Amino acid sequence: AQRVTQPEKLLSVFKGAPVELKCNYSYSGSPELFWYVQYSRQRLQLLLRHISRESIKGFTADLNKGETSFHLKKPFAQEEDSAMYYCALSGVTGSARQLTFGSGTQLTVLP
Amino acid sequence: EAEVAQSPRYKITEKSQAVAFWCDPISGHATLYWYRQILGQGPELLVQFQDESVVDDSQLPKDRFSAERLKGVDSTLKIQPAELGDSAMYLCASSLYGSTDTQYFGPGTRLTVL
């Protein structure tokens, strides 16, 4: 079975401070990992995926297979980064590949 | 920009009643997903379609839930009878090929069962 754990339900940082949202996963195969974000009153949307190895809105995430982690980082948080962030893993369960989400971290960036 | 459409946005019903939700994916997207999101949790996959075929419904409570995508385009999720524990947000998403592709989410249907 595949599992995604986001240990922090709430995270608050001040504007300009670094931010790290933690994500740990459990999966026996080779995982594909994603971060999805939901801004207030908007739809859930993809922020980034590990296979792309790109920075989106200043956010990066590195897959660490040894620690089974995919933490999301940004060196200088902005108020517009306040949102709910979900880590997700795409893996094979049974006969199909499915996306499993963590429970989410609500990030608040304080002025 | 094309978006996933869902209706209704809100639904209030009494337990034991039947409810139905509709989803229209982005044109050309072969894969359609229905998720349930309980307050404070992440979305949980209920059913996944590839065109008109179900590829995964392992987490769909089949005694009361059903889903169809008859022509491989729009989809309907039904609950009959609804129970108090079904109160949740029901999200529809679509992607071009499969779950490793970017999934595009609809606005969701907020179901309240009284």
Side-chain angles (χ1 to χ4, degrees):
Chain A
Q2 57 198 56
R3 188 183 189 96
V4 177
T5 303
Q6 293 180 251
E8 304 140 327
K9 279 213 170 295
L10 302 171
L11 182 63
S12 295
V13 299
F14 285 101
K15 176 182 172 182
V19 62
E20 180 179 68
L21 290 84
K22 291 184 167 51
C23 172
N24 290 93
Y25 67 89
S26 173
Y27 182 61
S28 57
S30 184
E32 297 197 39
L33 285 143
F34 306 80
W35 277 98
Y36 278 79
V37 62
Q38 188 165 26
Y39 300 101
S40 179
R41 296 188 182 85
Q42 294 188 26
R43 301 166 184 226
L44 192 59
Q45 59 186 286
L46 178 69
L47 179 62
L48 56 79
R49 53 197 301 166
H50 92 270
I51 202 168
S52 302
R53 301 186 65 83
E54 57 189 345
S55 172
I56 304 292
K57 298 184 179 183
F59 284 97
T60 59
D62 291 318
L63 176 59
N64 186 323
K65 291 187 178 181
E67 295 184 357
T68 60
S69 68
F70 188 57
H71 302 327
L72 183 68
K73 300 177 184 179
K74 185 170 183 177
F76 307 103
Q78 302 299 314
E79 290 181 69
E80 55 265 31
D81 296 329
S82 295
M84 178 68 85
Y85 291 81
Y86 294 96
C87 183
L89 180 153
S90 175
V92 177
T93 299
S95 59
R97 178 172 285 273
Q98 66 172 251
L99 199 61
T100 299
F101 286 85
S103 57
T105 298
Q106 177 69 51
L107 174 66
T108 302
V109 181
L110 304 167
Chain B
E1 185 178 320
E3 291 185 326
V4 175
Q6 287 187 249
S7 67
R9 294 292 306 277
Y10 304 91
K11 180 70 178 178
I12 299 174
T13 191
E14 293 185 344
K15 63 180 182 179
S16 80
Q17 296 299 303
V19 292
F21 312 131
W22 177 79
C23 172
D24 192 13
I26 292 173
S27 178
H29 280 195
T31 313
L32 184 147
Y33 316 81
W34 283 102
Y35 290 89
R36 176 173 58 188
Q37 185 174 22
I38 296 169
L39 196 62
Q41 299 181 21
E44 175 195 27
L45 181 69
L46 291 175
V47 61
Q48 178 175 333
F49 290 91
Q50 186 69 25
D51 299 311
E52 67 276 6
S53 300
V54 173
V55 297
D56 186 359
D57 63 358
S58 56
Q59 298 179 86
L60 187 71
K62 298 182 189 64
D63 57 335
R64 298 185 300 106
F65 286 63
S66 64
E68 60 183 17
R69 192 184 183 197
L70 293 176
K71 296 184 179 178
V73 181
D74 57 340
S75 175
T76 302
L77 178 70
K78 297 179 181 177
I79 308 174
Q80 183 173 17
E83 295 181 352
L84 296 177
D86 296 332
S87 295
M89 177 72 85
Y90 290 82
L91 295 168
C92 179
S94 69
S95 66
L96 265 176
Y97 301 114
S99 69
T100 55
D101 299 322
T102 300
Q103 293 191 22
Y104 295 86
F105 284 81
T109 296
R110 169 74 66 187
L111 173 67
T112 302
V113 182
L114 303 175

